[in-house]
Amino acid sequence: MGKSKNQTPLHRPHYLLSSCNPQHFFLQLFEPHCLYNVAATLIFPLHSLYSTAMGLITLMKTMIFIVLFLGFCHVSMAAKKTYIVHMAKHHMPLSFGEDHRQWFDASLKSVSESAEMIYTYENVIHGFSTRLTAQEAESLENLPGILSVLPELKYELHTTRTPEFLGLEQNANLFPQSAGDSDVVIGVFDTGVWPESKSFDDTGMGPVPSAWNGACETGTNFTLSNCNRKLIGARYFAKGYEATLGPIDESKENKSPRDDDGHGTHTSTTTGGSVVTGANLLGYAAGSARGMAPRGRVAVYKVCWVGGCFSSDILAAMEKAITDNVNVMSMSLGGGTADYYRDSVAIGAFAAMEKGILVSCSAGNAGPTSYSLSNVSPWITTVGAGTLDRDFPAYVSLGNGKNYSGVSLYKGPSLPNTMLPIVYAGNASNSTSGALCMPGTLIPEMVKGKLVLCDRGVNARVQKGSVVKEAGGAGMVLTNTAANGEELVADAHMLPATTVGQKAGDEIRKYVISDSAPTATILFEGTKLGIEPSPVVASFSSRGPNTITPEILKPDMLAPGVNILAGWSGAVGPTGLPDDSRRVEFNIISGTSMSCPHVSGLAALLKAAHPNWSPAAIKSALMTTAYTAYKNGKIIEDLATGKPATPFDHGAGHVDPVSALNPGLVYDITADDYFDFLCALNYTAAQIQVVTKRNTTCDATKTYNVGDLNYPSFAVVVPSGSSSKSGGATVVKQTRTLTNVGTASSTYKASTNSDNKAVQISVVPQTLTFSQINEKKSYTVTFTVGSMPVNSNAFGRIEWSDGKQIVGSPVAVSW
């Protein structure tokens, strides 16, 4: 899911059709705001008929027609929706020969003569997508060879400083592609690309890799010349979107890979953008911008449009990316959680993993609530968001002499040198939600020429400023509420404005409401570096535990995701608001959408350095070398609470790419291991086949254990009352296997710790000795867990060290 809450434009949680366009009458007929207009159009002109009996009869007939018309439309149109049909490849009748498409078509035509296939799939799944009624879908699912018929899901979109912050600038010579060309290709699934961005400059890059099978698709305002040796591929996928919402309105967005939103350009330049000197946003964060893998190649797959990102399109894009030969897939989007056999991204990611492609996804922006993660399958790398050591301070100075710190990216005419009157929006509105500064809620006479204090929530932060400006306000102070606490996310406001934390906001509000003539001003301080502590876990970053498989600890890791500078689309201003006429080459935004491409780019660096490493080995290297404490020894903070963060907040910790280059040991995982994992979940043969496409079943003589997946972290779930019933402890054993990728001859010793006396951790054997590269050694961890109240959590750590390398794994125990 991508940017933080209250951003625009593709960061809104839901999309409604904004107007009742006659061209899309049928599609919009049942939108609540359109139904009134339909009634007005059809019914209100009938008032003149009331004067005669004939008029009354005509009115009754017309009303009956309307009811029948609406009912007919509801049955014939609203009932059809898109389904993704999973077929069992090995069940195809011999009569079809090798033509799977003919088999797909025959199966579909047997339940619906009119239905047509939207996409056919061969790599990510074996099957197709189509539009059906619920009854037709049920009939199809009962046919031989059909594994499942799943309704389509809609997904939403969840830098100059980060390379230095991550230690890449000082250690550039360690990574081969920092100095030379890289054949590693990063596929970015998002809103498209603005190819004119300087971050796609291919100066000095060699020819396109010979293994590349991709294409540069042309379309509205996009030609073959828009691709080059940096941006080597660009495709767009809209058939699923159009099947549900109707034709793309090309007067509002380009039906091509071109990015009309900015989000896709930001993520793609973050992961693989070339070095650009003099980058900045309105003078803020000035410096040289570069992606994590500045010599890597970028291929863009546009799957997100104004109305969202649809799973049939995402699967089609993943299908193409696999045959195109990408090495990494970066997906800053999410759609809630579902069992793996119902999650299209998880299913597509499994196919990618089997081809050696690492899939990196954003954790989501639903924090700090627990159990709020997206993209939790173990074969996906799930990335949370942390802060940088950079800030953009803008202080609020009150008439009572007190000052409060905030953040802002405002650049424009300054406020007067004198203090201005300040008013609380809740007291300058006739609306019950007036404090939120939503469109049309402020009374211009009460805010004109004043600063306005607005509460954060519901609508976009930048839109609140636009509302204040439209009402005649001189500036805005935006205050966090309990939902966001002290998290400060900077925005390029369209009027003088700053955002303050909840505590400061409460005090400012108290002053504004109680003082008879409150005054204030805002002081903008520009860009500040060296902010401590950093990183801290962003409040918006989604948290564990994992709702689907609590025995797999998620998120996997933390990466920079707050106030990140990267390339931007020339189609929209930095706020994304329709009335923002400014155009910028770079923008600063926040979200796990920003942290995901950091890890995607780092994975590309590791892939270039270690071409034979599997996706699991690359993820393991990033996880086991991640850090959980600052240099002073204190645990990384959680911005939501101000307290030490836990593995449910940051996973294995914050990425350290320089250490990940030489991790010493890795936890490798094969597709067979994941198959065993699915067996341990007690999935049916058909459910497992949907994910794996394998015509194999679980071994009835074998004992499968979810906790034995060779994951670089440990999560133990204690069944309710299991220890208290026996009066003793619960004992849980998990086995892991380490692969030596460091020095051929090496000896590692284990150490453990736990933050709770109720959890004892022991490792056998405690010493692992390796004599060659790629040698594997196994060990067993025994967790002896005492009784604790239900919903209690304890945390710990297991480390292997040879005196130089530390191979660390977080531990989470939940009752």
Side-chain angles (χ1 to χ4, degrees):
M1 205 137 95
K3 292 187 196 171
S4 66
K5 289 170 274 190
N6 294 332
Q7 275 275 14
T8 55
L10 258 175
H11 327 112
R12 296 187 291 264
H14 299 288
Y15 281 79
L16 292 175
L17 294 161
S18 59
S19 62
C20 296
N21 186 331
Q23 291 179 329
H24 304 301
F25 174 82
F26 291 108
L27 286 171
Q28 301 176 89
L29 190 59
F30 297 97
E31 291 290 338
H33 70 290
C34 293
L35 195 56
Y36 174 84
N37 289 358
V38 173
T41 303
L42 294 176
I43 300 172
F44 293 167
L46 303 174
H47 68 88
S48 61
L49 302 176
Y50 277 103
S51 56
T52 65
M54 186 59 71
L56 284 170
I57 294 169
T58 305
L59 176 64
M60 291 173 65
K61 287 181 178 179
T62 306
M63 293 298 292
I64 292 168
F65 166 76
I66 291 169
V67 172
L68 290 173
F69 171 74
L70 292 178
F72 170 79
C73 287
H74 184 74
V75 170
S76 64
M77 300 186 58
K80 279 210 172 191
K81 58 182 181 181
T82 302
Y83 290 87
I84 297 172
V85 183
H86 297 256
M87 310 278 281
K89 186 175 184 178
H90 56 281
H91 280 164
M92 186 175 76
L94 294 175
S95 58
F96 291 106
E98 294 296 316
D99 193 347
H100 290 91
R101 187 182 174 90
Q102 192 178 358
W103 179 39
F104 297 166
D105 191 57
S107 300
L108 179 59
K109 287 293 186 282
S110 70
V111 299
S112 172
E113 280 296 325
S114 60
E116 295 182 356
M117 288 183 283
I118 301 170
Y119 292 109
T120 59
Y121 310 98
E122 190 61 35
N123 293 297
V124 286
I125 68 168
H126 193 75
F128 59 94
S129 49
T130 187
R131 299 278 292 175
L132 298 170
T133 65
Q135 187 176 358
E136 289 168 344
E138 186 179 349
S139 299
L140 185 61
E141 195 161 29
N142 291 327
L143 292 180
I146 307 290
L147 292 171
S148 69
V149 179
L150 300 178
E152 177 166 66
L153 296 176
K154 188 171 88 167
Y155 290 74
E156 304 287 354
L157 293 170
H158 285 235
T159 155
T160 53
R161 184 65 183 167
T162 46
E164 188 175 346
F165 183 67
L166 294 171
L168 294 176
E169 294 288 2
Q170 305 94 303
N171 298 277
N173 60 332
L174 293 175
F175 294 93
Q177 61 273 58
S178 294
D181 292 327
S182 167
D183 282 351
V184 176
V185 182
I186 307 163
V188 182
F189 299 72
D190 215 299
T191 64
V193 66
W194 192 260
E196 292 80 9
S197 169
K198 293 177 182 176
S199 297
F200 296 115
D201 184 0
D202 66 352
T203 302
M205 297 193 76
V208 173
S210 58
W212 177 244
N213 293 326
C216 188
E217 293 182 354
T218 59
T220 316
N221 295 316
F222 205 92
T223 67
L224 289 175
S225 63
N226 287 129
C227 295
N228 58 17
R229 291 169 298 180
K230 160 61 73 175
L231 179 63
I232 64 172
R235 297 183 185 271
Y236 67 99
F237 299 83
K239 290 180 182 177
Y241 178 93
E242 292 187 318
T244 300
L245 296 181
I248 284 169
D249 185 348
E250 294 186 56
S251 68
K252 295 180 180 176
E253 57 181 332
N254 288 288
K255 191 174 181 180
S256 74
R258 184 166 289 280
D259 179 14
D260 301 293
D261 174 77
H263 192 276
T265 302
H266 199 280
T267 55
S268 57
T269 56
T270 296
T271 195
S274 300
V275 177
V276 181
T277 59
N280 67 87
L281 168 64
L282 307 173
Y284 289 97
S288 291
R290 50 159 282 185
M292 296 299 97
R295 304 295 294 183
R297 317 290 184 147
V298 176
V300 166
Y301 299 83
K302 183 176 179 179
V303 295
C304 296
W305 306 83
V306 165
C309 329
F310 288 83
S311 55
S312 59
D313 291 327
I314 295 170
L315 276 176
M318 297 178 84
E319 173 92 8
K320 279 293 185 185
I322 290 173
T323 56
D324 287 348
N325 273 342
V326 303
N327 303 106
V328 176
M329 292 187 184
S330 187
M331 308 182 74
S332 292
L333 46 81
T337 53
D339 285 306
Y340 305 131
Y341 57 86
R342 300 183 66 86
D343 183 338
S344 291
V345 168
I347 293 167
F350 192 96
M353 172 274 301
E354 285 195 294
K355 300 288 187 181
I357 302 167
L358 181 138
V359 181
S360 170
C361 292
S362 46
N365 298 327
T369 308
S370 298
Y371 299 98
S372 54
L373 292 162
S374 295
N375 303 312
V376 296
S377 67
W379 49 87
I380 284 176
T381 300
T382 311
V383 189
T387 64
L388 292 175
D389 61 343
R390 179 179 65 193
D391 213 348
F392 309 100
Y395 297 91
V396 180
S397 181
L398 300 182
N400 61 6
K402 293 184 177 180
N403 297 313
Y404 300 92
S405 60
V407 295
S408 181
L409 296 168
Y410 170 73
K411 192 76 169 183
S414 301
L415 290 170
N417 289 328
T418 57
M419 302 288 272
L420 292 174
I422 182 170
V423 61
Y424 180 48
N427 294 336
S429 170
N430 291 324
S431 169
T432 54
S433 58
L436 294 171
C437 294
M438 295 176 72
T441 60
L442 296 179
I443 301 172
E445 296 77 21
M446 299 183 73
V447 302
K448 188 174 182 181
K450 299 177 183 178
L451 295 181
V452 181
L453 178 66
C454 300
D455 288 348
R456 184 172 168 182
V458 184
N459 60 328
R461 300 183 300 268
V462 289
Q463 188 186 55
K464 295 173 189 290
S466 180
V467 168
V468 171
K469 183 178 181 181
E470 188 177 356
M476 176 182 70
V477 177
L478 179 61
T479 172
N480 284 354
T481 57
N484 304 102
E486 301 310 305
E487 172 184 84
L488 297 180
V489 179
D491 295 301
H493 292 286
M494 296 173 64
L495 83 171
T498 186
T499 301
V500 298
Q502 181 191 5
K503 293 175 184 174
D506 289 346
E507 293 190 30
I508 296 171
R509 189 187 299 105
K510 186 176 179 182
Y511 162 72
V512 171
I513 292 174
S514 62
D515 195 281
S516 58
T519 58
T521 191
I522 303 172
L523 307 169
F524 300 93
E525 298 288 311
T527 304
K528 300 289 183 185
L529 300 178
I531 303 299
E532 297 294 344
S534 62
V536 297
V537 181
S539 295
F540 62 74
S541 188
S542 288
R543 314 301 171 97
N546 182 337
T547 53
I548 303 300
T549 318
E551 296 86 354
I552 300 296
L553 181 61
K554 291 281 183 172
D556 290 312
M557 64 195 76
L558 205 66
V562 179
N563 297 334
I564 305 301
L565 181 97
W568 196 245
S569 168
V572 290
T575 63
L577 295 173
D579 55 342
D580 188 353
S581 59
R582 299 171 296 176
R583 293 296 179 264
V584 295
E585 293 183 350
F586 292 86
N587 199 8
I588 296 173
I589 53 177
S590 300
T592 55
S593 273
M594 284 62 257
S595 52
C596 166
H598 277 87
V599 167
S600 307
L602 296 179
L605 290 178
L606 294 180
K607 183 68 175 177
H610 304 284
N612 296 324
W613 278 11
S614 69
I618 293 172
K619 177 160 74 169
S620 173
L622 288 166
M623 289 176 67
T624 61
T625 59
Y627 61 90
T628 57
Y630 304 116
K631 290 177 181 177
N632 62 10
K634 291 187 175 180
I635 301 297
I636 289 175
E637 283 186 16
D638 179 359
L639 191 52
T641 62
K643 298 176 181 178
T646 76
F648 286 151
D649 307 320
H650 58 52
H654 193 282
V655 289
D656 180 358
V658 176
S659 297
L661 188 63
N662 296 297
L665 306 173
V666 295
Y667 294 87
D668 208 354
I669 308 176
T670 67
D672 288 342
D673 296 327
Y674 289 124
F675 181 87
D676 289 352
F677 165 78
L678 294 172
C679 288
L681 294 179
N682 293 318
Y683 280 5
T684 66
Q687 290 166 347
I688 293 175
Q689 224 175 302
V690 167
V691 178
T692 67
K693 302 182 297 300
R694 296 184 179 195
N695 182 27
T696 49
T697 55
C698 303
D699 185 346
T701 65
K702 187 175 177 179
T703 302
Y704 297 97
N705 183 359
V706 175
D708 281 345
L709 181 68
N710 202 37
Y711 216 67
S713 57
F714 295 83
V716 177
V717 180
V718 185
S720 177
S722 62
S723 56
S724 58
K725 285 177 184 174
S726 62
T730 299
V731 177
V732 176
K733 293 180 182 285
Q734 294 188 5
T735 301
R736 294 289 190 275
T737 300
L738 283 162
T739 302
N740 181 25
V741 294
T743 308
S745 180
S746 54
T747 298
Y748 286 81
K749 293 185 177 180
S751 63
T752 65
N753 69 63
S754 169
D755 69 357
N756 191 312
K757 291 180 181 179
V759 178
Q760 302 297 317
I761 306 171
S762 62
V763 175
V764 176
Q766 288 191 306
T767 302
L768 296 176
T769 301
F770 298 89
S771 58
Q772 56 188 13
I773 300 293
N774 293 325
E775 185 179 0
K776 296 179 183 293
K777 295 278 186 178
S778 297
Y779 68 95
T780 299
V781 185
T782 301
F783 300 94
T784 306
V785 182
S787 181
M788 289 284 288
V790 174
N791 296 325
S792 296
N793 297 304
F795 303 99
R797 191 164 176 83
I798 298 171
E799 291 184 348
W800 291 92
S801 177
D802 65 350
K804 295 178 182 178
Q805 249 86 5
I806 294 177
V807 184
S809 294
V811 173
V813 180
S814 303
W815 282 264

